[in-house]
Amino acid sequence: MQQVNLSEDIYFLGFNDRRTHLFENIWPIPHGISYNSYLIVDEKIALVDTVERSFIDEYLDEIEGIIGDRAIDYLIINHMEPDHSGALKSIIQKYPDIKLVGNKKTFGFVESFYLTPKNVVEVYDDYRIDLGKHKLQFQMIPMVHWPETMVTYEETSKIVFSGDAFGSYGTLDGGIFDDEINLDFYEVEVMRYFTNIVGKYCPHTQRAIKKLAPLDIKMIAATHGPIWRSDLDWVLTRYNKWSSYDLDCGVVIVYGSMYGNTQRMAEVIARQLAVRGIKNIRVYDASKTHSSYIINDIFKYKGFIVGSPAYNNSLFPNVEILLSTIEHMAPKDHYLGVFGNYSWNGGGVKNLKLFAEKIKWEMVYDPIEEMGALKTDKKAELVKLANAMADKLLVEN
Ligand code: FEO
């Protein structure tokens, strides 16, 4: 690729992964993902994070193409997840005198994943490294996304190397900087990266946003997705909204349904919500849409209604997977409704009630359970559930 510079001496070293189907072997990435690393060339040379291991050869070639036979002085390890540390051993092999820069949590991960680190610089909040013209400053942002996560701020160019924070799924298809791209493409993918990867750690994300606020930031260079240099507010505003559970008026309805009876119950609820004036209604079949996408809408809308048939005396498995994902991420401040269906013993709604107890969202109406096909009395109950949800949402809007 042609050389891409963030400033005169700061280089982008990014690689597009269009082969991997599932990020972390869980989350669908139909539009791929980029792994971004950065090289600062000065009296001393610093490499900021590395890339996923399948790109090691090209990565080493690109570095050599920029610095020739000079050695790299520092490897800044903002985040140890292997999508960014995958080339760490190769870098150490090629540049044996390199100093690993991390915090007290970083080097334990280096040891457990790769090797015993020998040449290390342990940094902490406000610690500085002078490269010459460029001065690096470090800020710890634990749990965005792992315990060791930190950001590196380069004071001269005012660039923050932010790790996963403000990153995105989706490859960089030619455009690298936000002003080179139609950001409509990234609207879903930035949010999915946030909800899927960092969404469990919203309070930590809020702390990180507040911690970085005093810095004079001209550019945000994350380890995935576009580099933000023209419209930083585009991503900052969104991160702030999502991580503070600032939810819009709307309802996500998710159901599992083998033969259509639970789906019919969902359709009744959805229609009545619309009749009551709720404009944002998203209905998902849990067997068709991956939780990666559904969780995005749960981070957008305040209402959540879930339906499950009984399946082997328990939840429908695909609904169970989604609910387990929600429990892990534990987004706050939703209104909840549950419904379901059974043929003999039940087990769907019984377990939805257990979910409701664990997640502690406000139940807007008693659980509704039908046996077999939907009948008039339960249909009327579903309308009441929709009305109760609409009442809660409309009073706030
Ligand atoms: Fe992109 Fe948490 O790694």
Side-chain angles (χ1 to χ4, degrees), residues 149-204:
T149 317
M150 62 184 198
V151 302
T152 302
Y153 177 64
E154 200 291 293
E155 295 174 356
T156 306
S157 56
K158 303 185 189 311
I159 297 171
V160 65
F161 300 97
S162 63
D164 278 346
F166 314 113
S168 179
Y169 292 142
T171 48
L172 292 165
D173 296 344
I176 309 287
F177 298 92
D178 58 347
D179 48 69
E180 298 177 331
I181 298 166
N182 181 343
L183 290 176
D184 292 351
F185 170 76
Y186 289 98
E187 186 74 54
V188 172
E189 297 299 69
V190 169
M191 187 173 191
R192 275 204 314 129
Y193 194 80
F194 170 78
T195 59
N196 297 182
I197 307 303
V198 189
K200 180 176 173 61
Y201 305 110
C202 286
H204 304 80

Side-chain angles (χ1 to χ4, degrees), residues 23-24 33 79 81-84 145-146 164 193 197 223-224:
F23 185 70
E24 294 183 339
I33 192 163
H79 183 23
E81 191 167 4
D83 52 330
H84 310 298
H145 153 225
W146 279 14
D164 278 346
Y193 194 80
I197 307 303
T223 44
H224 303 284

